[in-house]
Amino acid sequence: ATLGDADSTQLIHLYQRRGRVLELMLRHDEALDTYKALEALGETRDDDELRLAGLAAQGISYTIGKFDLENSRLYTNKALSMARELGDRFVEARALWSLLLSLSYFDGPQALEYGEQALAIARELVASPQSSPEHLDLLALILMDLVVPLVGAGQVGTAEEYATEAREIFEEMGNLPMASTAAQRQGVAYKAEGRFEEALEVYDWSTEIDLSIGNDGGLVGSSLGLFDIYQFMGDLSAVNARMEMFLPIIVREERIPLPVSELQPFVTYFQLGLLEKALDSAGDIWQFKESQAAIWPDMAILWPYRKMQGNVGVVAFPISEGGAPSTPGWVTGVAMSAGTTQPEVAWRW
C-alpha cells in the first residue's frame, strides 16, 4: 500500500502514531516535522480533516515537546476554530486539552476552565454509541492533566480521583507510558496531602515501568517528583542515585528553558541544607546567557509543588529575548550574578 491508497482516517492515525513514538523517544523536532507534514498533505489534497489533525497535533507538540507556548496557543486556537466550524467534537476536545496543557503552570483558573470544557466533551464522546478507543484515551489524558491546576486550586481530592481514574483507563488499554505518567499525577496529589509514603510508592512504580520500556521522558517526570520526597526524608543516598539516572537524560531534553542538568543538583542539595555541596555543584551557572539578568530561578513546572510547601518567594526571571519563558523563583530572596550584563533589569524585577 502507498499513501495514495490510504484514506484520511488511516493517514491521520499513521502520522500521529509516528509522532507520538518520536515524542516518547524525546525526538521532539522530528515529531513536530511529522505533524507539519500531515498539515501539508492536507493542503496538497485539499482535505480539511488532514489539515485540522496536523494543526491540532502541532499545537500539542509545541507544548509538550518544545515548551513553545506562544506557538502552541497559536496553532491550537486555529485548530479549535476550525474544529468548531467543521463540527468535529473530538478535535475540539483535543484542542481544549492542548490549551489546558499550555496554561497549567501559568494560569491555573483559565487552564481549569479549558480542561473542564474538554472533559465534558470527552465524557460525552465516550458515552456515545460511536465511542472509540481514541475517545477513551483522550478522556484519560484530560483527567490526568487536570491534576496540577486542580491541586493549585486546592481541589486535591478531585485531583486524586481524576489521576486514579486516568491510570485505571491507561492500564486497561495497555498504554504503559501514560499509565506511568498518570501514576506520577497521583504522586502530585498525595504529596499535596502530605501522604509521602503513598507518593513514593506510585513514583517507584512509575520508575519501574519506564525503565522496563525505555521511556526516558517518563523517568524525567518521576525523578522530579521523587527529589521532593527524598528531600523531605533527608535521604541523600537516594538523591545521589537518582541524579545518576536523571542527569544523562535531562541533558538531552532541550525543551526546558534553563540548564536543568546543572540547576537540579543545586536545588536538591540546597533543600537538604547541604550548602557547600550545593555551591560546589553550581559551577558556572551563576553566569547566565548574556541576554538574561541573573535572578536565581527554579523551573515553572515545579511551582505547584513549591507553593504547597509554603512561602517560596515568587520572583520572576526577567529575560530580554522576545517570547522566552519566565520562571517562578525558588528561594525567598534573589541572587544576582556579579557578571550579569543587565543589572538594571535584575534590580527592577
Side-chain angles (χ1 to χ4, degrees):
T2 66
L3 286 181
D5 299 323
D7 62 24
S8 296
T9 301
Q10 292 170 323
L11 288 169
I12 290 169
H13 176 78
L14 288 171
Y15 276 80
Q16 289 183 342
R17 290 305 95 190
R18 182 178 190 275
R20 184 57 185 146
V21 168
L22 290 167
E23 287 166 351
L24 290 171
M25 296 171 68
L26 306 183
R27 292 161 60 180
H28 299 299
D29 288 333
E30 293 173 74
L32 186 58
D33 287 342
T34 298
Y35 302 140
K36 288 181 180 294
L38 178 59
E39 181 193 3
L41 184 61
E43 294 290 345
T44 300
R45 294 189 173 199
D46 193 24
D47 186 321
D48 283 339
E49 193 175 352
L50 295 179
R51 272 195 293 257
L52 176 57
L55 283 171
Q58 286 175 72
I60 295 167
S61 185
Y62 271 116
T63 293
I64 65 173
K66 306 296 290 181
F67 209 73
D68 183 343
L69 304 185
E70 184 176 348
N71 271 317
S72 174
R73 291 168 195 163
L74 173 66
Y75 281 89
T76 299
N77 280 314
K78 287 181 181 179
L80 182 59
S81 296
M82 190 173 182
R84 286 172 171 167
E85 288 174 9
L86 297 174
D88 191 324
R89 296 285 277 170
F90 176 67
V91 177
E92 181 183 357
R94 280 185 64 85
L96 289 165
W97 167 60
S98 180
L99 291 170
L100 158 66
L101 284 176
S102 69
L103 290 168
S104 287
Y105 298 103
F106 304 98
D107 187 344
Q110 185 63 69
L112 273 179
E113 183 177 334
Y114 285 131
E116 294 295 348
Q117 290 177 40
L119 182 60
I121 297 173
R123 289 203 187 280
E124 170 191 315
L125 291 170
V126 168
S128 73
Q130 293 77 35
S131 179
S132 72
E134 274 191 317
H135 297 153
L136 189 60
D137 182 73
L138 179 59
L139 171 62
L141 288 169
I142 295 165
L143 287 165
M144 181 179 73
D145 290 318
L146 272 165
V147 169
V148 169
L150 281 168
V151 168
Q155 301 179 47
V156 182
T158 302
E160 182 186 341
E161 290 174 12
Y162 282 7
T164 301
E165 184 180 355
R167 178 176 168 182
E168 289 172 353
I169 292 171
F170 285 131
E171 287 191 53
E172 288 173 7
M173 296 182 74
N175 188 337
L176 290 180
M178 298 316 300
S180 168
T181 305
Q184 293 173 27
R185 296 297 195 278
Q186 287 180 299
V188 172
Y190 291 149
K191 285 195 293 185
E193 296 178 312
R195 295 156 60 187
F196 293 104
E197 290 296 331
E198 290 170 88
L200 184 60
E201 287 180 11
V202 293
Y203 281 118
D204 283 345
W205 182 86
S206 172
T207 297
E208 183 179 344
I209 292 297
D210 289 329
L211 284 172
S212 71
I213 61 177
N215 181 13
D216 283 352
L219 290 171
V220 170
S222 57
S223 294
L224 291 172
L226 281 167
F227 285 135
D228 276 352
I229 299 174
Y230 294 153
Q231 290 162 15
F232 175 80
M233 297 168 62
D235 191 341
L236 180 59
S237 62
V239 169
N240 288 334
R242 196 71 189 197
M243 283 291 178
E244 291 182 7
M245 175 192 299
F246 174 76
L247 294 182
I249 298 171
I250 204 66
V251 163
R252 302 196 301 271
E253 187 53 275
E254 297 178 353
R255 68 187 175 95
I256 297 178
L258 292 172
V260 177
S261 59
E262 298 176 359
L263 173 61
Q264 186 62 46
F266 178 94
V267 172
T268 302
Y269 293 132
F270 180 85
Q271 177 74 355
L272 285 168
L274 303 171
L275 301 185
E276 288 189 14
K277 196 169 182 64
L279 291 172
D280 287 343
S281 74
D284 295 328
I285 58 177
W286 297 102
Q287 304 292 332
F288 286 92
K289 293 180 182 177
E290 187 173 330
S291 63
Q292 299 171 343
I295 287 180
W296 187 256
D298 194 357
M299 293 179 296
I301 195 171
L302 295 180
W303 161 239
Y305 306 153
R306 305 308 183 209
K307 181 180 178 183
M308 290 182 287
Q309 292 171 344
N311 178 18
V312 296
V314 184
V315 180
F317 182 55
I319 301 175
S320 61
E321 295 172 343
S326 293
T327 61
W330 157 255
V331 295
T332 52
V334 297
M336 183 169 66
S337 167
T340 183
T341 58
Q342 302 203 32
E344 73 287 350
V345 178
W347 287 122
R348 185 161 67 246
W349 279 80

